[in-house]
Amino acid sequence: MKRHVLSEILQTLYPSDVKCIVCGKEMHPNRYGLCDDCSFELNENYCIRCGRHKVGIGDYCGECSDTVLYFDEARSSVNYDGCAKNIIWRLKYGSAKYLADPMSEYMLDTLLFADWSIDCFTFVPMHKKRQRQRGYNQAELIARSLAARTTTPCIPLLSKVRSTPNQAKLDRDARINNLVGAFAAVTQVPEHIVLIDDVMTTGSTVNECAKILKKSGAKVVYVLTFASVPERPVLDKRTQNISEFRH
């Protein structure tokens, strides 16, 4: 009996079935969920405006220079690379809801470094039809996991009132137009908010949400995502433009 109790205690403190969130290999548990062989590319050289990894040495990237941004600052913890794509896809489409917890650990570090003064977390909403199909909203899972690790509450402030085509299939301009009128505030909005999402690509979704929050009374809206798509090098942009011109 004593041996059984001791075994249960040891299993609780040092679980033998903890696996790396990327490769699935068994490992000693840690707050980030990664084994020694896996890693994320941390987003350290970031644009102070949109938060994505920037190519140059200046403060700003070239991705958001011609865009009206309604959020005040944005940060992301890692770059949207192979390992980050892996767990974001599994969280969204693979029912791996447990991944929200280790992802929120990275985001907590980013949040503490940002040193924002905030009243609450909120999250990018899903249309009720799509959420019924998936069973959950991954952004809400992350936001609530962050709230559980802090003294800041998570409050649903937005709803998606219009179903829209998948953003991933659209170019930047189409993404912006696709979201006009898609979101609405559902309750009284605090003054200082951190808006949570899993990944920022063009930023059009979080920007539209921030726009609605500002119109509804928010004074400051920060955006925090687990990952963001890095700025493309200038050479890549030129190559793409020349290719489009020739076609």
Side-chain angles (χ1 to χ4, degrees), residues 235-247:
L235 180 61
D236 287 355
K237 296 177 188 177
R238 288 175 179 169
T239 301
Q240 183 183 37
N241 290 339
I242 291 171
S243 176
E244 290 173 354
F245 175 76
R246 287 174 176 170
H247 282 83

PDB file of all heavy atoms in Angstrom, residues 235-247:
ATOM      1  N   LEU A 235      14.843  41.844 -50.621  1.00  0.00           N
ATOM      2  CA  LEU A 235      15.111  41.092 -51.844  1.00  0.00           C
ATOM      3  C   LEU A 235      13.935  40.196 -52.191  1.00  0.00           C
ATOM      4  O   LEU A 235      13.542  40.095 -53.348  1.00  0.00           O
ATOM      5  CB  LEU A 235      16.382  40.251 -51.689  1.00  0.00           C
ATOM      6  CG  LEU A 235      16.792  39.406 -52.911  1.00  0.00           C
ATOM      7  CD1 LEU A 235      17.060  40.321 -54.110  1.00  0.00           C
ATOM      8  CD2 LEU A 235      18.021  38.561 -52.596  1.00  0.00           C
ATOM      9  N   ASP A 236      13.333  39.561 -51.177  1.00  0.00           N
ATOM     10  CA  ASP A 236      12.182  38.704 -51.423  1.00  0.00           C
ATOM     11  C   ASP A 236      11.011  39.499 -51.955  1.00  0.00           C
ATOM     12  O   ASP A 236      10.292  39.073 -52.846  1.00  0.00           O
ATOM     13  CB  ASP A 236      11.766  37.997 -50.128  1.00  0.00           C
ATOM     14  CG  ASP A 236      12.734  36.893 -49.745  1.00  0.00           C
ATOM     15  OD1 ASP A 236      13.646  36.642 -50.536  1.00  0.00           O
ATOM     16  OD2 ASP A 236      12.569  36.309 -48.668  1.00  0.00           O
ATOM     17  N   LYS A 237      10.800  40.702 -51.414  1.00  0.00           N
ATOM     18  CA  LYS A 237       9.698  41.548 -51.863  1.00  0.00           C
ATOM     19  C   LYS A 237       9.895  41.949 -53.318  1.00  0.00           C
ATOM     20  O   LYS A 237       8.976  41.917 -54.123  1.00  0.00           O
ATOM     21  CB  LYS A 237       9.601  42.796 -50.981  1.00  0.00           C
ATOM     22  CG  LYS A 237       9.250  42.513 -49.525  1.00  0.00           C
ATOM     23  CD  LYS A 237       9.252  43.804 -48.732  1.00  0.00           C
ATOM     24  CE  LYS A 237       9.092  43.534 -47.246  1.00  0.00           C
ATOM     25  NZ  LYS A 237       9.171  44.759 -46.459  1.00  0.00           N
ATOM     26  N   ARG A 238      11.134  42.333 -53.664  1.00  0.00           N
ATOM     27  CA  ARG A 238      11.404  42.742 -55.032  1.00  0.00           C
ATOM     28  C   ARG A 238      11.206  41.586 -55.994  1.00  0.00           C
ATOM     29  O   ARG A 238      10.627  41.738 -57.071  1.00  0.00           O
ATOM     30  CB  ARG A 238      12.835  43.274 -55.141  1.00  0.00           C
ATOM     31  CG  ARG A 238      13.019  44.645 -54.488  1.00  0.00           C
ATOM     32  CD  ARG A 238      14.465  45.051 -54.528  1.00  0.00           C
ATOM     33  NE  ARG A 238      14.667  46.362 -53.928  1.00  0.00           N
ATOM     34  CZ  ARG A 238      15.868  46.868 -53.636  1.00  0.00           C
ATOM     35  NH1 ARG A 238      16.957  46.141 -53.870  1.00  0.00           N
ATOM     36  NH2 ARG A 238      15.975  48.070 -53.105  1.00  0.00           N
ATOM     37  N   THR A 239      11.683  40.405 -55.578  1.00  0.00           N
ATOM     38  CA  THR A 239      11.539  39.228 -56.434  1.00  0.00           C
ATOM     39  C   THR A 239      10.070  38.927 -56.684  1.00  0.00           C
ATOM     40  O   THR A 239       9.656  38.645 -57.802  1.00  0.00           O
ATOM     41  CB  THR A 239      12.223  38.008 -55.770  1.00  0.00           C
ATOM     42  OG1 THR A 239      13.597  38.304 -55.557  1.00  0.00           O
ATOM     43  CG2 THR A 239      12.098  36.781 -56.652  1.00  0.00           C
ATOM     44  N   GLN A 240       9.266  39.014 -55.639  1.00  0.00           N
ATOM     45  CA  GLN A 240       7.846  38.738 -55.785  1.00  0.00           C
ATOM     46  C   GLN A 240       7.190  39.769 -56.703  1.00  0.00           C
ATOM     47  O   GLN A 240       6.392  39.426 -57.563  1.00  0.00           O
ATOM     48  CB  GLN A 240       7.166  38.756 -54.420  1.00  0.00           C
ATOM     49  CG  GLN A 240       5.691  38.405 -54.501  1.00  0.00           C
ATOM     50  CD  GLN A 240       5.024  38.509 -53.158  1.00  0.00           C
ATOM     51  OE1 GLN A 240       5.336  39.387 -52.379  1.00  0.00           O
ATOM     52  NE2 GLN A 240       4.077  37.621 -52.894  1.00  0.00           N
ATOM     53  N   ASN A 241       7.535  41.020 -56.528  1.00  0.00           N
ATOM     54  CA  ASN A 241       6.931  42.078 -57.344  1.00  0.00           C
ATOM     55  C   ASN A 241       7.294  41.920 -58.820  1.00  0.00           C
ATOM     56  O   ASN A 241       6.462  42.102 -59.697  1.00  0.00           O
ATOM     57  CB  ASN A 241       7.367  43.448 -56.847  1.00  0.00           C
ATOM     58  CG  ASN A 241       6.754  43.768 -55.496  1.00  0.00           C
ATOM     59  OD1 ASN A 241       5.756  43.185 -55.138  1.00  0.00           O
ATOM     60  ND2 ASN A 241       7.369  44.681 -54.766  1.00  0.00           N
ATOM     61  N   ILE A 242       8.554  41.587 -59.110  1.00  0.00           N
ATOM     62  CA  ILE A 242       8.977  41.383 -60.482  1.00  0.00           C
ATOM     63  C   ILE A 242       8.240  40.187 -61.092  1.00  0.00           C
ATOM     64  O   ILE A 242       7.793  40.224 -62.236  1.00  0.00           O
ATOM     65  CB  ILE A 242      10.507  41.153 -60.545  1.00  0.00           C
ATOM     66  CG1 ILE A 242      11.237  42.451 -60.192  1.00  0.00           C
ATOM     67  CG2 ILE A 242      10.940  40.679 -61.924  1.00  0.00           C
ATOM     68  CD1 ILE A 242      12.734  42.281 -60.006  1.00  0.00           C
ATOM     69  N   SER A 243       8.093  39.130 -60.288  1.00  0.00           N
ATOM     70  CA  SER A 243       7.382  37.949 -60.774  1.00  0.00           C
ATOM     71  C   SER A 243       5.939  38.280 -61.094  1.00  0.00           C
ATOM     72  O   SER A 243       5.409  37.858 -62.129  1.00  0.00           O
ATOM     73  CB  SER A 243       7.442  36.849 -59.703  1.00  0.00           C
ATOM     74  OG  SER A 243       6.693  35.732 -60.093  1.00  0.00           O
ATOM     75  N   GLU A 244       5.282  39.058 -60.225  1.00  0.00           N
ATOM     76  CA  GLU A 244       3.903  39.435 -60.471  1.00  0.00           C
ATOM     77  C   GLU A 244       3.797  40.322 -61.726  1.00  0.00           C
ATOM     78  O   GLU A 244       2.866  40.197 -62.514  1.00  0.00           O
ATOM     79  CB  GLU A 244       3.348  40.185 -59.254  1.00  0.00           C
ATOM     80  CG  GLU A 244       3.157  39.269 -58.041  1.00  0.00           C
ATOM     81  CD  GLU A 244       2.774  40.049 -56.802  1.00  0.00           C
ATOM     82  OE1 GLU A 244       2.775  41.304 -56.886  1.00  0.00           O
ATOM     83  OE2 GLU A 244       2.487  39.424 -55.773  1.00  0.00           O
ATOM     84  N   PHE A 245       4.788  41.216 -61.896  1.00  0.00           N
ATOM     85  CA  PHE A 245       4.775  42.126 -63.048  1.00  0.00           C
ATOM     86  C   PHE A 245       4.871  41.344 -64.354  1.00  0.00           C
ATOM     87  O   PHE A 245       4.161  41.603 -65.330  1.00  0.00           O
ATOM     88  CB  PHE A 245       5.940  43.107 -62.929  1.00  0.00           C
ATOM     89  CG  PHE A 245       6.074  44.016 -64.143  1.00  0.00           C
ATOM     90  CD1 PHE A 245       5.225  45.074 -64.334  1.00  0.00           C
ATOM     91  CD2 PHE A 245       7.075  43.773 -65.082  1.00  0.00           C
ATOM     92  CE1 PHE A 245       5.358  45.920 -65.432  1.00  0.00           C
ATOM     93  CE2 PHE A 245       7.214  44.595 -66.183  1.00  0.00           C
ATOM     94  CZ  PHE A 245       6.360  45.664 -66.356  1.00  0.00           C
ATOM     95  N   ARG A 246       5.768  40.327 -64.376  1.00  0.00           N
ATOM     96  CA  ARG A 246       5.961  39.541 -65.592  1.00  0.00           C
ATOM     97  C   ARG A 246       4.719  38.740 -65.934  1.00  0.00           C
ATOM     98  O   ARG A 246       4.455  38.470 -67.096  1.00  0.00           O
ATOM     99  CB  ARG A 246       7.165  38.612 -65.401  1.00  0.00           C
ATOM    100  CG  ARG A 246       8.494  39.361 -65.448  1.00  0.00           C
ATOM    101  CD  ARG A 246       9.649  38.442 -65.123  1.00  0.00           C
ATOM    102  NE  ARG A 246      10.919  39.149 -65.257  1.00  0.00           N
ATOM    103  CZ  ARG A 246      12.084  38.648 -64.852  1.00  0.00           C
ATOM    104  NH1 ARG A 246      12.116  37.453 -64.277  1.00  0.00           N
ATOM    105  NH2 ARG A 246      13.198  39.342 -64.998  1.00  0.00           N
ATOM    106  N   HIS A 247       3.960  38.327 -64.911  1.00  0.00           N
ATOM    107  CA  HIS A 247       2.746  37.567 -65.194  1.00  0.00           C
ATOM    108  C   HIS A 247       1.608  38.482 -65.604  1.00  0.00           C
ATOM    109  O   HIS A 247       0.582  38.010 -66.065  1.00  0.00           O
ATOM    110  CB  HIS A 247       2.343  36.754 -63.954  1.00  0.00           C
ATOM    111  CG  HIS A 247       3.153  35.511 -63.780  1.00  0.00           C
ATOM    112  ND1 HIS A 247       4.407  35.500 -63.168  1.00  0.00           N
ATOM    113  CD2 HIS A 247       2.924  34.222 -64.160  1.00  0.00           C
ATOM    114  CE1 HIS A 247       4.900  34.271 -63.153  1.00  0.00           C
ATOM    115  NE2 HIS A 247       4.023  33.473 -63.751  1.00  0.00           N
TER     116      HIS A 247
END
